[in-house]
Every structure is written in structure tokens, then in C-alpha cells.
Amino acid sequence: MIEVRGLRKSFGENEILKGIDVHVDTGDVVVILGPSGSGKTTLLRCINFLEKADDGVLTVGDMTLDLKSVRKKDIAAVRKRTGYVFQNYNLFINKTARENVMLGLTVGRRMPKDQAFAIATAALDRVGLSDRYDHYPSQLSGGQQQRVGIARAIALNPEVILFDEPTSALDPELIGEVLQVMKDLAEDGMTMLVVTHEMGFARDVASHVIFMDDGVIVEEGTPKDIFNHPQHERTRQFLRRILKGEAGEFGGSGI
Amino acid sequence: MFNMEFARATMGAILREGLPATLTVVFWTLVISLPLGFLLGLIRFRRVPVLMPLSTVVISFFRGTPLVILIFLLYSALPDALARLAQIHGWGIDVYGLLLGSTKGYAVFICSTFTISTMAEIFRSALGAVEAGQLEAAHCVGLSTAQAYWHIVIPQALVSALPNLGNDVIGLVKGTSLMFYMGLKDIMGVAKTEAGPAYAYVEAYVDVLIVYVVLCFILQELFRHLEQRLRSYGAKG
Ligand SMILES: Nc1ncnc2c1ncn2[C@@H]1O[C@H](COP(=O)(O)OP(=O)(O)OP(=O)(O)O)[C@@H](O)[C@H]1O
Ligand SMILES: [Mg+2]
């Protein structure tokens, strides 16, 4: 279980997050929707301390932290319990796929090499990359790179994985393979907090959908609530625009 | 006209005495400058308080001073000043013997001052060229900043620094040709010594030219191969 309450974040004069509450139960998939610049990335980055929040309370499992005054130890503890999947993958370019997955185990957790090797291999198998263990990121397609990114996160056995638009840097024909991996993870009971513009994924996989705009949560509910009966004009506008784009461009992501 | 016999004899002397001296000075300068230049570059990249502004002054000085002036300052002015100081305070140290006892050693010292400075800037910009996302991803999989630097950031920075390092080493090799001012018998020093009495400067300088061009070509190829091998992971940049 992971929860943030009253999360606030400003960059200089600009308040980007204006008091955000998000709650993800164990085994749930919470999808965050919202227009560009609404603060979705900043929200995920604050949860994982890639950005320092100005205010708010974070709960991960049995740990509760005041985000105003976190210590290094707390940051390490939260990161140990959370995985992060980046929009642009951020694979270690000087490491092979398997080394990418192993590094957090061998160096971060001081696990023996052979044990980490086995876990990394299994994680890559799980995302369908059994034939790419020793490839460098530059030798992989975007979809394959992002699947290594997911393997890197799951190998550390996190309690929750944060996904920041995992498919938005991908060519349309590669989106499906990554979404399928995420769908499989969700079915296996992984707790996930996912920022995405993939409406098909949100509708089919999410247990809860949040619509964010301009640093606040405008509306949230089940996928049915949000997609079939949106309460707010801003939500309706956003959905109209996105769904029209999907239908027009490539008819959805195909899952 | 062009005295082929003399040119050949001088080339022999250059290769026997001068080349080893040049390579020795270059080698020890690199042994000193690579780690210290890297450390200084890291300090500057991480903007370590106090050390950062201090290093800016020092680096600007050594990078900006023409080598001839630097040699004059460090070879003449500095020992003279220290000797005066020692005399005034009655320290009873033989400053000249201590500093200038080994010409090669002092040449290494002078070369290291500016090589450390230029390398610090090379390493600083190479560290800056590593994408921020690499460090963030390392943090996210549970690495400390030090671990992330050791396994991810520094290896990538070293590879991307190689072309500039190659240029810097070639610059250093050519820079050592000014060390004859302080009596170093390097490639240039030997050539000048041989050329003087015979007044055959053209022949000697042609020899020098050939040796430096070949030497720098070899270094250039060496660095190219090194980069190709280390960049086998296919990173762009
Ligand atoms: N490091 C930063 N410094 C200053 N402003 C920032 C920084 N990071 C983000 N912002 C600003 O914060 C706002 C929200 O950015 P954020 O990346 O969180 O939006 P987003 O919802 O993820 O958008 P997108 O869908 O385009 O990814 C933007 O206006 C952005 O310019
Ligand atoms: Mg974003």
C-alpha cells in the first residue's frame, strides 16, 4: 500500500502540485491521466525523491514520512520498496540488458553475483526478452529497452512500481508489447501507479483512475465512472481530445 | 645544401637520447595528471564549496599562461624567489639543488601543472555530458551516489572524454618541445645541441618534424582504437 497526502511542490514561483492525495491499495493499478504540464511526472518524482517535495506525507507499507524533513535513510528505504519506470527508459547505456537488471541487486543490495544473475535472467524472461540478455541498450528497440526497464524494476521485488508514461516515447507499433507486459504484471497482482495516455490500458486494467489538471486532482473513480460518466467539464474535454486522437491516428494501442 | 648525412646522424641521436627523454617526461606527467586532473574535474563538476572557486583561479592561471612564460616563471622566477626566501630566513636549504637537481623531474612538474588544469576541464565536461537520467535510474535501483558514480557515471564519462584526452596528450607531447629552454635533452633539446656547432638547423628541424608527426600519429591511432574498444556498447555522443 502506498499513499501520499497533501503533496505540494513548487519550482520557483510556480506551484506545480497544489495538495495532491493519492492512495494505492496492494494489488491495485491506479492510472493517472491529465494534460501535458499538469504535474504527473513531478508527482511520481516526488514520491521517489527524484524531486524534493515542499510539503506532504508519504506512507509506504508500515512507513510514514513527513516529506518536509526526510533523511537519507528514509529515502533509501522508500526506494527499496518502490520501482520506477521512466518515460525514456534510462537504461544504463554502458551495461547489457542483464547487467542493467543485476546492478541494483549486486551493488545496491550486495547480493552474490550468481544469485543476482538468476533473478535478472528470470526477470528478463518474464518480459519476453530471453534472446536479448547480452545486448546493450543501443542494440535494442525502444519497446525492448522499456521492457528491460520494467525487468530492472521487478527484479528488486518492489511493493509498488511507478510508471511515468512508459509508452509515450515509443513508435506506435511497439506500444502494444510494453502494455502487454504491464497488463501481465497487473494480473499477477503487482501494485502499480501508472501515468499514461493509453486509454485502452486505463479502461481495461485500472482499478482506479485519477484525472489531474493544473496541479490538482479534478476527478477520480473507477474507469467506468471516469470514462462513461465524467462529472467535470475539464475531464470531458480531455477525454474527447485524447480519444479522438487515438481513433484518428492509430485506432488505439491494440489491447 | 641539405646535408643528408648530418640529418641521418642527428636522427640517430634524437631517437637514442631525445625520444626516450620526451617519452619519460610525457609518461610521468600523465601518471600524475590523469588521476589529479580527474579528481579536480570531479570537484569542479560537483561544485565542492571552497575548492571550486580555488580551482577556478588555479586552472585559469595554468591554462591561460603561455607555456614559454610558464617555464620562465616556474624554472627561473619561482626557484629564485624561494632561494631568496630561504636566504632571508636562514633555512639553510639548497633550493636550486632541491628543485632543479633533476631536469626531467622538474620538466614533469611544469608539464603536470598545465596538463592537470586542461584535463580537469576535459573531465568536468565529460561528467556533465552523462545524462542526468543515468544517475536518477541508479538511485532508483538503490545505488548510493558514490556507487552510481563508480559503476555508471564515471565509466561513461571516461569513454566520452577519450577524444579530448587524446588531443590533450598530443598537445602535451608537442609542449615538451619547449622544455629545452630549461636544458632538457628531449627530442628538441638533442636536435638543437647537434645542430648548433654544425649550424645545420634545417636538417635538425626536419628530423624533429618527422619524429613529432610520427609520434603524434601513433598516439592519435592509439586513442582512436582505445575509444572504439571501450565504446563497444555503442553509446552515441
Ligand atoms: N525541474 C523543473 N524546473 C522547473 N519547472 C519544472 C521542472 N520540472 C517540471 N517543471 C514544470 O512543472 C510543470 C509540470 O511538469 P510535469 O513534467 O510534472 O508535467 P506532466 O504532467 O508530466 O506533463 P507531460 O504529460 O508533458 O509529461 C511543467 O509546467 C514544467 O514546466
Ligand atoms: Mg510527464
Side-chain angles (χ1 to χ4, degrees):
Chain A
M1 191 273 295
I2 184 165
E3 182 181 76
V4 276
R5 304 218 133 267
L7 181 64
R8 289 181 177 275
K9 172 69 184 172
S10 301
F11 289 113
E13 296 286 283
N14 274 351
E15 188 165 42
I16 303 299
L17 299 176
K18 304 167 181 170
I20 300 275
D21 302 324
V22 175
H23 178 100
V24 188
D25 270 325
T26 305
D28 272 5
V29 176
V30 172
V31 165
I32 303 177
L33 306 175
S36 184
S38 54
K40 307 179 298 292
T41 295
T42 308
L43 168 61
L44 293 193
R45 288 174 63 86
C46 284
I47 293 176
N48 221 21
F49 301 101
L50 295 176
E51 226 56 84
K52 193 187 175 311
D54 301 326
D55 200 2
V57 176
L58 174 68
T59 306
V60 184
D62 53 4
M63 237 179 89
T64 297
L65 299 173
D66 181 353
L67 292 175
K68 276 200 303 283
S69 54
V70 280
R71 292 160 303 172
K72 263 201 173 140
K73 202 175 92 231
D74 301 326
I75 295 178
V78 169
R79 284 180 175 156
K80 198 168 173 188
R81 294 163 156 227
T82 56
Y84 200 102
V85 175
F86 295 86
Q87 185 169 0
N88 57 352
Y89 337 127
N90 280 342
L91 295 188
F92 307 127
I93 59 172
N94 57 330
K95 303 274 175 197
T96 63
R98 185 155 40 199
E99 289 167 348
N100 262 273
V101 183
M102 284 175 69
L103 194 70
L105 297 165
T106 53
V107 177
R109 305 225 170 137
R110 304 183 183 287
M111 182 185 284
K113 270 236 162 70
D114 49 346
Q115 210 177 328
F117 188 93
I119 292 177
T121 306
L124 287 169
D125 292 343
R126 196 164 163 197
V127 299
L129 289 174
S130 306
D131 51 349
R132 292 288 184 274
Y133 300 138
D134 299 318
H135 286 58
Y136 285 99
S138 62
Q139 301 165 325
L140 298 172
S141 74
Q144 292 167 338
Q145 288 189 59
Q146 191 57 295
R147 285 187 280 150
V148 175
I150 295 171
R152 182 170 68 177
I154 57 178
L156 294 162
N157 197 22
E159 290 169 31
V160 54
I161 303 183
L162 315 175
F163 291 83
D164 185 15
E165 298 199 37
T167 59
S168 65
L170 295 175
D171 292 336
E173 70 271 19
L174 300 179
I175 291 176
E177 65 188 52
V178 172
L179 289 181
Q180 189 58 50
V181 166
M182 292 170 61
K183 201 174 174 186
D184 293 345
L185 276 183
E187 273 163 16
D188 291 346
M190 176 62 77
T191 312
M192 295 156 63
L193 180 57
V194 184
V195 173
T196 185
H197 289 300
E198 293 300 324
M199 294 302 144
F201 180 84
R203 213 187 317 238
D204 299 346
V205 183
S207 21
H208 191 79
V209 176
I210 294 174
F211 174 66
M212 249 178 92
D213 193 6
D214 200 20
V216 295
I217 291 177
V218 175
E219 181 164 1
E220 57 184 309
T222 63
K224 257 210 189 97
D225 295 337
I226 299 294
F227 289 109
N228 301 348
H229 316 287
Q231 301 298 308
H232 290 259
E233 184 49 33
R234 274 197 281 180
T235 319
R236 282 195 282 270
Q237 265 176 17
F238 173 79
L239 290 174
R240 261 202 304 278
R241 216 179 49 235
I242 291 280
L243 293 171
K244 205 167 74 195
E246 274 193 4
E249 271 174 50
F250 24 84
S253 54
I255 72 161
Chain B
M1 293 304 298
F2 190 88
N3 186 342
M4 203 60 198
E5 197 45 48
F6 180 82
R8 199 173 295 134
T10 307
M11 181 61 97
I14 288 175
L15 294 181
R16 264 192 322 275
E17 291 177 59
L19 184 61
T22 295
L23 292 180
T24 306
V25 170
V26 168
F27 175 79
W28 286 109
T29 300
L30 290 179
V31 167
I32 293 170
S33 303
L34 281 167
L36 289 182
F38 179 79
L39 208 66
L40 202 57
L42 192 61
I43 284 170
R44 292 177 62 68
F45 178 66
R46 299 288 299 179
R47 302 184 162 278
V48 178
V50 188
L51 292 179
M52 169 77 182
L54 204 69
S55 70
T56 306
V57 175
V58 174
I59 286 176
S60 304
F61 175 79
F62 284 116
R63 285 176 82 206
T65 309
L67 191 47
V68 183
I69 307 292
L70 198 61
I71 291 171
F72 166 75
L73 283 177
L74 295 178
Y75 180 64
S76 311
L78 180 70
D80 286 349
L82 288 179
R84 275 293 289 280
L85 217 63
Q87 196 186 17
I88 292 169
H89 292 83
W91 289 336
I93 328 170
D94 173 16
V95 170
Y96 291 107
L98 207 64
L99 287 184
L100 309 179
S102 158
T103 311
K104 267 189 204 141
Y106 207 66
V108 168
F109 164 67
I110 294 179
C111 288
S112 296
T113 56
F114 69 86
T115 306
I116 289 171
S117 303
T118 49
M119 284 189 174
E121 286 305 277
I122 290 173
F123 284 122
R124 185 186 60 77
S125 79
L127 286 164
V130 176
E131 264 190 68
Q134 297 284 309
L135 180 61
E136 291 183 350
H139 280 151
C140 283
V141 296
L143 269 60
S144 68
T145 301
Q147 290 171 330
Y149 266 75
W150 181 252
H151 291 276
I152 302 298
V153 178
I154 289 175
Q156 290 181 26
L158 290 182
V159 172
S160 73
L162 271 178
N164 287 330
L165 283 180
N167 289 337
D168 205 54
V169 172
I170 286 172
L172 166 66
V173 168
K174 292 194 287 187
T176 55
S177 69
L178 286 174
M179 295 296 155
F180 75 87
Y181 279 126
M182 46 172 287
L184 183 68
K185 290 273 184 287
D186 68 332
I187 296 171
M188 191 68 173
V190 169
K192 279 214 173 248
T193 317
E194 298 288 317
Y199 210 76
Y201 282 101
V202 174
E203 288 80 353
Y205 283 169
V206 168
D207 284 345
V208 169
L209 178 76
I210 293 170
V211 174
Y212 275 114
V213 167
V214 172
L215 191 56
C216 289
F217 175 77
I218 293 171
L219 282 171
Q220 188 185 310
E221 288 302 296
L222 212 71
F223 270 91
R224 214 169 49 83
H225 281 285
L226 196 62
E227 196 202 343
Q228 257 167 17
R229 279 198 53 152
L230 292 180
R231 215 186 255 282
S232 59
Y233 57 76
K236 301 151 225 69

